[in-house]
Amino acid sequence: MATEFHVLEARKFPRIAKRETADTRYWRKFRFPIIVKEYGAVSHVDFCRAKPHDFVATSLSRMQIYSSSTHQVNKSFAKFKENVFCGSFRHDGKLLIGGLESGRVKVFDVDTRSALREFKGHSGSVQLTKFLCDDLHVISGSDDKSDYVRCGVTSENSKDIFITGSYDHSLKLWDLRSQGSVLSMDHGCPVECVTVFPSGGICISAGSNIIKVWDILGGGRLLAGFSNHQKTITSICLDGENRRLLSGSLDRHVKIYDVQDYTVVHSMDYPAPILSLKISPDDTHLVAGMSNKFLSIKYRLKHEAKEEAPRSRNLKSGTYRYFVRGKNFKPLEDDFVVSAPKRPRFKEHDKFLKQFEYSKALDSVLRRPLATRVPFLSSLFQDLIRRKGLEIALSGRDEDGLEPILNFLIRYITNPKYTVLLIDVANKLLDIYGPVIGQSEKVDHLFTTLRDKINREINFHQKGFELLGALDTLFAASMSSSTSNIGSEAQGIQKDRQL
């Protein structure tokens, strides 16, 4: 009964897995990075909800509005004699609010850059300023009470509800219709940033290197907690479709999570610790403020409108168009393609193997380029051992036929991937050509080189084992001395108690 012939395939060794997912392809489109030098560490970034979605960056005593199309500064608010924090837009983008180090809060007209209102009521630095959803009221958080209030978010559905995070480890839900907070949650460490889903039912907080998800409607129940950063998380935000969560940290990384299970789907590296992070409402710009006074602006090009597909024409049977119909159809990603079986096209070495001409198959592989020769040659040696044809392939060779085989052994016999296999090949060569060693100077030199390389490898391993033995002795001696010291101390304590 005839058996099916299997073509020779190159040996494959484990490699580090590199996944190419839809998320990685999407987030890699945020390229063309623009680096802008600011006047200090960029502590806050905020996008305007109204088109064209310009953004404001706050650093030291300046608030600067950047154009989302030219990425240049459109307007600069720099008439401050003190540091300003948390520059934020009103929903329509016509007003801008910021908190000052002296405890004041100022509201500016974006078009004229003039100050319209100034609120006083804090005695410490104001680092949280936001407009409520009615665009008529603002909230502010300061460092002037029991602990620092450094972050907060307003509800998109109610003009009376907002959430704040503090360095006393607490998240508090506030309702202007009642006295004080109506709900409190313990994050477990100082809260650096907080965000909420548009529905208002789920809140996300970040403090230290931990992110926690809270069920507001369920009374502040903890839904999830996870940590994927090495250092403090300074900023979190949701993308325009609220399907991905982004976090920036002092470890110079931005992590992107799927909000369904909060697994990391992509990661980005930055040159300096990240202090602020924001993505535009239309998901075209990703802006990060860093501690080294630089502002990173990444953006992706908008897809051009697709051309309308041509109208389908009625195809008549017997015509050329009817015969070639479907040739240009491209299957979708989830389609199962049924293809007709193709007759295998054997390579030269496969043809020789099929005809049991093992020596010619070996010569054919030896003529391949070096890049593909190594994996195919190791596969061929393994297949010849399985076929019991290794001796046939190696026998009857002159010095020119032995030279490439011995050079391959000399180069790769100490490689852990091939060592076990090539030792068998070397032993078989010695069995075949051992009686005739001394008749060819070239072959003798190659065998000597192979022997020297094996001896060097054996000596290296012996020295390594000797070093491990010496280290084990030192560790054992240190452990015994520490144990004896502990025992003598215990005896001394017992004698003291007896006295």
Side-chain angles (χ1 to χ4, degrees):
M1 181 177 177
T3 58
E4 183 182 356
F5 176 76
H6 297 280
V7 298
L8 185 67
E9 296 182 356
R11 294 184 67 187
K12 297 180 180 180
F13 297 93
R15 292 183 178 181
I16 299 175
K18 294 182 178 179
R19 291 195 308 164
E20 183 72 15
T21 64
D23 277 285
T24 57
R25 290 191 295 269
Y26 175 80
W27 292 104
R28 283 175 182 170
K29 292 179 182 178
F30 283 86
R31 50 191 187 272
F32 314 111
I34 299 173
I35 304 297
V36 181
K37 181 99 181 259
E38 279 285 354
Y39 294 87
V42 183
S43 59
H44 190 261
V45 174
D46 186 54
F47 273 92
C48 178
R49 299 286 186 88
K51 293 183 179 180
H53 304 304
D54 294 340
F55 60 93
V56 58
T58 307
S59 64
L60 287 184
S61 60
R62 290 175 181 264
M63 294 189 299
Q64 299 198 119
I65 298 178
Y66 288 81
S67 170
S68 60
S69 57
T70 64
H71 309 117
Q72 301 293 325
V73 176
N74 275 351
K75 294 181 176 65
S76 181
F77 299 80
K79 296 181 180 179
F80 300 105
K81 296 181 180 179
E82 54 189 317
N83 290 339
V84 62
F85 305 98
C86 197
S88 303
F89 281 108
R90 197 171 72 171
H91 292 81
D92 57 5
K94 295 181 179 180
L95 298 182
L96 184 67
I97 188 173
L100 301 179
E101 197 171 16
S102 62
R104 295 174 296 160
V105 177
K106 284 192 174 185
V107 180
F108 299 88
D109 185 290
V110 172
D111 293 331
T112 63
R113 293 185 296 177
S114 59
L116 302 180
R117 295 286 189 274
E118 181 176 320
F119 305 106
K120 298 179 180 179
H122 291 288
S123 59
S125 175
V126 179
Q127 302 202 28
L128 165 63
T129 53
K130 297 286 184 182
F131 282 94
L132 291 173
C133 67
D134 62 355
D135 290 337
L136 299 176
H137 298 82
V138 299
I139 65 168
S140 60
S142 175
D143 298 346
D144 55 2
K145 293 298 180 181
S146 61
D147 219 324
Y148 300 159
V149 178
R150 291 292 177 87
C151 60
V153 61
T154 59
S155 172
E156 296 186 9
N157 302 317
S158 174
K159 63 181 180 61
D160 300 311
I161 295 176
F162 59 92
I163 301 173
T164 59
S166 171
Y167 274 18
D168 63 359
H169 303 186
S170 68
L171 288 162
K172 292 186 181 294
L173 176 67
W174 304 83
D175 192 334
L176 299 179
R177 295 164 294 188
S178 62
Q179 299 293 329
S181 63
V182 296
L183 182 63
S184 181
M185 296 156 282
D186 185 10
H187 185 86
C189 47
V191 182
E192 298 286 347
C193 43
V194 61
T195 189
V196 67
F197 281 88
S199 62
I202 295 179
C203 169
I204 304 176
S205 62
S208 184
N209 64 337
I210 302 170
I211 297 177
K212 291 187 176 182
V213 185
W214 308 90
D215 184 3
I216 301 296
L217 299 179
R221 180 170 58 95
L222 179 63
L223 297 179
F226 48 96
S227 175
N228 291 282
H229 287 281
Q230 302 299 320
K231 294 183 179 180
T232 300
I233 299 170
T234 57
S235 184
I236 57 175
C237 63
L238 293 167
D239 69 341
E241 297 181 354
N242 302 302
R243 296 189 303 109
R244 296 292 183 265
L245 173 70
L246 290 79
S247 63
S249 170
L250 296 179
D251 62 5
R252 302 184 296 108
H253 287 83
V254 169
K255 304 286 185 180
I256 303 167
Y257 311 85
D258 187 341
V259 298
Q260 293 184 353
D261 53 7
Y262 296 101
T263 57
V264 177
V265 296
H266 192 62
S267 180
M268 298 181 183
D269 298 338
Y270 282 82
I274 299 170
L275 300 182
S276 54
L277 178 71
K278 205 71 173 179
I279 189 169
S280 62
D282 58 355
D283 292 334
T284 58
H285 288 73
L286 179 62
V287 180
M290 293 173 283
S291 62
N292 61 351
K293 304 180 183 180
F294 283 100
L295 186 71
S296 171
I297 306 171
K298 292 184 178 181
Y299 66 98
R300 63 184 179 92
L301 300 176
K302 295 182 178 180
H303 295 294
E304 297 180 357
K306 296 183 179 179
E307 298 180 357
E308 294 184 0
R311 297 180 179 179
S312 59
R313 300 177 180 176
N314 295 327
L315 301 178
K316 296 181 180 180
S317 60
T319 62
Y320 176 75
R321 286 182 175 274
Y322 183 83
F323 178 75
V324 299
R325 69 189 188 282
K327 290 288 185 180
N328 298 327
F329 175 77
K330 294 183 179 179
L332 301 177
E333 186 177 356
D334 299 331
D335 289 346
F336 179 77
V337 181
V338 179
S339 57
K342 296 181 180 180
R343 185 177 180 181
R345 297 180 62 181
F346 295 132
K347 298 180 180 179
E348 185 181 25
H349 57 268
D350 289 321
K351 294 178 181 178
F352 288 131
L353 284 176
K354 191 175 182 180
Q355 298 171 3
F356 304 101
E357 296 182 358
Y358 299 141
S359 182
K360 293 182 179 179
L362 180 57
D363 292 335
S364 175
V365 175
L366 288 173
R367 290 193 295 268
R368 294 178 66 92
L370 182 61
T372 59
R373 185 192 311 168
V374 176
F376 269 102
L377 195 55
S378 61
S379 299
L380 179 62
F381 281 141
Q382 192 172 23
D383 192 56
L384 290 175
I385 293 174
R386 181 181 61 84
R387 292 167 174 260
K388 297 182 180 179
L390 181 62
E391 184 174 356
I392 299 175
L394 297 177
S395 300
R397 292 180 174 271
D398 56 10
E399 59 182 13
D400 293 332
L402 283 175
E403 183 180 4
I405 301 175
L406 288 172
N407 283 329
F408 179 79
L409 293 176
I410 293 169
R411 185 170 183 176
Y412 293 102
I413 197 168
T414 57
N415 190 323
K417 295 180 181 179
Y418 312 110
T419 298
V420 176
L421 175 65
L422 296 187
I423 285 177
D424 294 338
V425 177
N427 289 332
K428 183 62 67 174
L429 281 174
L430 289 173
D431 293 340
I432 298 173
Y433 296 99
V436 296
I437 289 179
Q439 298 182 10
S440 171
E441 183 179 355
K442 181 188 294 186
V443 175
D444 293 346
H445 175 70
L446 291 173
F447 272 113
T448 303
T449 305
L450 178 62
R451 180 197 62 189
D452 294 340
K453 186 164 187 178
I454 295 174
N455 287 335
R456 287 196 301 270
E457 188 70 16
I458 293 174
N459 292 332
F460 175 76
H461 283 281
Q462 288 178 348
K463 291 181 180 179
F465 284 122
E466 291 174 0
L467 180 59
L468 287 176
L471 290 175
D472 290 340
T473 304
L474 291 175
F475 290 148
S478 62
M479 290 295 293
S480 60
S481 62
S482 61
T483 304
S484 61
N485 291 335
I486 293 173
S488 60
E489 290 178 0
Q491 292 177 1
I493 293 172
Q494 187 176 5
K495 289 181 180 179
D496 294 338
R497 288 180 176 178
Q498 292 175 357
L499 292 175

